[in-house]
Amino acid sequence: MGNWYDHLATWPQVASTGIMMFSAVESRRLYRQVADQMRALIERGELAHGSRLPAERELAQMFGVSRPTIREALIVLEVEGFIDIRMGSGIYVTARPAPAADAPPEDFEGPFELLRARAVVECAIAEEAARLARPEHISVLDDNLARMAAALEDRRLALAIDREFHVIVSSIIANQTLNRFVGSIHDMRMTPYFEKLASYFENTETWRAAMEEHRVIRDAIALGDPAAARAAMRAHLDQSQLRLSASFGEEPSDSTIPAAWRRVGR
């Protein structure tokens, strides 16, 4: 059967160094390209049912991409039913699935791409909101925070209130285009793809942390401090990315990885 790297080495994306490279990013997103390559190996039987994949760290090195890209690719494959991610244990190939009806569409943005877009737009929104906020806006934010504090154990409700907070901040500027953007980008989290990722990393404590970050944003806006509001929003989105960047499970040492996998990237 040969090892996985023997088969990857026949593909045009692999450089002569033996390290997984992409000559140019195609119109399809990078994480989808990685998912395609891993899926093809499973469908051809090169990765057998029940076999364990290396940790994200190892996969990122093999493919020459970032760990967030690997994480997004793995979530696609799990939603499609090709792998099973077991927190604290590892990532395993499952039996070949039937075609998935709820797989993310080809052009769907990954969570880290969305967070980068939010960092560009929402930080500027918070900065401008601090210049324009009136007492009635702060009252609405306070009501939102109070309801958030009571909803930390209800993920669906917390998610809705979280969305509402960011739309409230945007609404201070009174620009409907910005409101629609902020609302729609938050609505992208309501998909099987995001639901699966969130199921690993969102819990009462992460929602509590998000609420406290919202409170810092609220305070900066209430003080009329644009620089502090921008920094608080950026810190919140950075922390959101870190929460989604936690490892799926254990990081096995090389001694627990089959030799065929360890040869990848040499």
Side-chain angles (χ1 to χ4, degrees), residues 33-222:
Q33 296 179 44
V34 173
D36 287 348
Q37 294 177 22
M38 297 177 73
R39 185 190 306 106
L41 293 168
I42 295 171
E43 290 179 326
R44 293 203 306 267
E46 303 300 333
L47 297 177
H49 174 218
S51 64
R52 176 181 173 177
L53 276 64
E56 290 177 83
R57 166 176 51 84
E58 304 291 343
L59 291 171
Q61 292 172 353
M62 293 169 186
F63 281 90
V65 298
S66 68
R67 288 180 66 168
T69 295
I70 291 294
R71 187 172 296 108
E72 290 173 335
L74 292 173
I75 288 295
V76 168
L77 293 176
E78 186 170 39
V79 169
E80 293 177 349
F82 285 94
I83 63 171
D84 179 24
I85 299 171
R86 305 174 194 171
M87 294 294 283
S89 175
I91 306 161
Y92 298 84
V93 177
T94 62
R96 185 171 181 174
D102 56 356
E106 287 293 317
D107 61 348
F108 198 77
E109 294 89 347
F112 299 101
E113 185 174 358
L114 288 177
L115 282 169
R116 287 191 294 272
R118 289 181 61 192
V120 172
V121 177
E122 290 197 61
C123 291
I125 287 174
E127 180 178 5
E128 186 66 11
R131 295 189 178 98
L132 301 174
R134 300 189 300 272
E136 56 266 33
H137 295 134
I138 306 307
S139 295
V140 175
L141 288 173
D142 287 341
D143 175 71
N144 175 275
L145 288 168
R147 286 184 288 113
M148 183 74 161
L152 298 179
E153 296 185 3
D154 183 337
R155 179 184 177 273
R156 287 285 180 176
L157 182 56
L159 188 63
I161 297 172
D162 174 77
R163 177 191 187 278
E164 180 186 285
F165 176 87
H166 290 272
V167 172
I168 291 169
V169 172
S170 175
S171 70
I172 293 172
I173 303 175
N175 183 299
Q176 289 302 313
T177 300
L178 289 176
N179 287 354
R180 281 196 298 272
F181 172 82
V182 173
S184 65
I185 205 167
H186 280 266
D187 290 342
M188 290 180 184
R189 296 186 295 178
M190 306 301 290
T191 66
Y193 179 85
F194 278 79
E195 290 284 320
K196 180 61 71 173
L197 185 63
S199 71
Y200 293 114
F201 302 113
E202 288 182 1
N203 54 52
T204 301
E205 291 310 309
T206 62
W207 281 117
R208 189 185 311 279
M211 179 188 68
E212 293 304 326
E213 292 155 18
H214 284 184
R215 196 179 304 280
V216 176
I217 297 168
R218 175 266 180 214
D219 290 347
I221 292 173

